[in-house]
Amino acid sequence: MSPEPDPEPPTEESFAAGPGAVRRGELVRPAPVVFRDGDSDDDRDSGDSGTELGAVFRPYLRDYIGDSIGRAGPSNAICPFVRGALRAGVMHYAELRVAGHTAPRAVARALVGYLAWFDQASQRESPEHPGLVVAFPGPPAPLLPVVAAAHRAVLPAVYARGCTAALFHEDPAEPDDPRHPEPRYFTAPAPFYVLRRIIPADLQLSLRVRQMFPAYHRLHAAEARRTRLRTKEAAERWNQACREHGLTP
């Protein structure tokens, strides 16, 4: 049996319903909670979402994704912004329950709802880099094809909002998606999806990911020209990407 094709990208009307709103055929989309960097895993203010998986994810983000021990310095943490986001209270977490028979378009609508929520929340938060983690409880094998299809369908809407997204999971047999070649990390409590805003430091990522470059150019072209196109190779790759998209070098 051939896999179900990717769903059509959700339309703008999909942005309207906030977390928790459910229409027929949609998934229950719980409102995100805030993760904070408390002194201990049972810190009352740490925001563990009230679920067993949430209680595992907060220390996972803090101690694995945001930790640089063994990675040759603070800048080599898997994500150097996680610690600051946890301290500032701008790291958000939600769980989306998906089954192998769930339609990818239903997952895509739920992710677009979270995107709309995150876009509004991140614009009113601190200068720290906010993030939203959406975890998918359950065995990864039946979920991943559904979630991956939804992720691909939603990416244009993600970039249009000035954000970027990645899907992480523990399945080394699953090949990386060449259309969005961010690395996968195979030590995780469950498959999870990450939303964050596009920042100036995303230059190299935007040059690798064709869909992302127009959004990066729109947001950070001036800063990139001023401080990041310092080598001939970087400038050539930038100019080539601009030509491919019909943008001003």
Side-chain angles (χ1 to χ4, degrees):
M1 181 182 295
S2 59
E4 181 174 345
D6 290 355
E8 290 296 316
T11 60
E12 277 294 321
E13 69 178 12
S14 303
F15 289 123
V22 182
R23 294 181 297 182
R24 187 173 180 178
E26 290 194 345
L27 297 173
V28 174
R29 181 161 34 93
V33 299
V34 174
F35 276 170
R36 294 183 178 87
D37 192 7
D39 294 331
S40 64
D41 291 348
D42 59 357
D43 188 325
R44 207 176 288 180
D45 292 329
S46 65
D48 66 7
S49 84
T51 68
E52 291 185 12
L53 186 57
V56 172
F57 249 99
R58 185 184 68 88
Y60 166 77
L61 293 171
R62 181 194 64 204
D63 299 334
Y64 181 70
I65 299 296
D67 190 17
S68 61
I69 293 177
R71 299 194 183 103
S75 63
N76 289 325
I78 291 174
C79 179
F81 308 121
V82 165
R83 286 277 185 164
L86 287 169
R87 285 193 296 267
V90 294
M91 177 61 70
H92 309 282
Y93 175 84
E95 293 176 12
L96 190 62
R97 295 193 174 273
V98 176
H101 57 77
T102 303
R105 59 183 169 272
V107 183
R109 286 195 297 267
L111 293 180
V112 168
Y114 278 125
L115 169 64
W117 180 92
F118 175 72
D119 186 29
Q120 294 176 7
S122 63
Q123 290 189 41
R124 62 175 179 263
E125 288 176 338
S126 78
E128 290 290 347
H129 300 293
L132 171 62
V133 170
V134 180
F136 302 95
L143 308 182
L144 284 172
V146 177
V147 174
H151 165 53
R152 290 191 292 268
V154 168
L155 273 174
V158 171
Y159 296 141
R161 291 254 175 165
C163 298
T164 186
L167 176 64
F168 299 92
H169 56 80
E170 274 190 352
D171 187 1
E174 179 77 12
D176 284 348
D177 180 356
R179 289 172 287 186
H180 196 74
E182 285 197 9
R184 311 275 176 83
Y185 302 103
F186 301 127
T187 302
F192 65 102
Y193 181 77
V194 177
L195 274 169
R196 64 175 179 82
R197 302 209 72 82
I198 296 172
I199 61 174
D202 286 323
L203 171 62
Q204 295 305 318
L205 177 61
S206 74
L207 290 171
R208 294 199 310 271
V209 183
R210 193 176 190 280
Q211 278 185 291
M212 182 178 171
F213 185 79
Y216 182 90
H217 185 278
R218 170 171 55 86
L219 295 167
H220 303 301
E223 198 277 349
R225 295 188 196 102
R226 187 172 64 252
T227 64
R228 297 183 179 274
L229 303 180
R230 295 171 178 167
T231 67
K232 181 179 179 181
E233 179 185 4
E236 288 177 348
R237 292 181 66 196
W238 173 269
N239 291 339
Q240 180 181 352
C242 288
R243 288 194 296 272
E244 289 176 356
H245 291 279
L247 301 170
T248 303

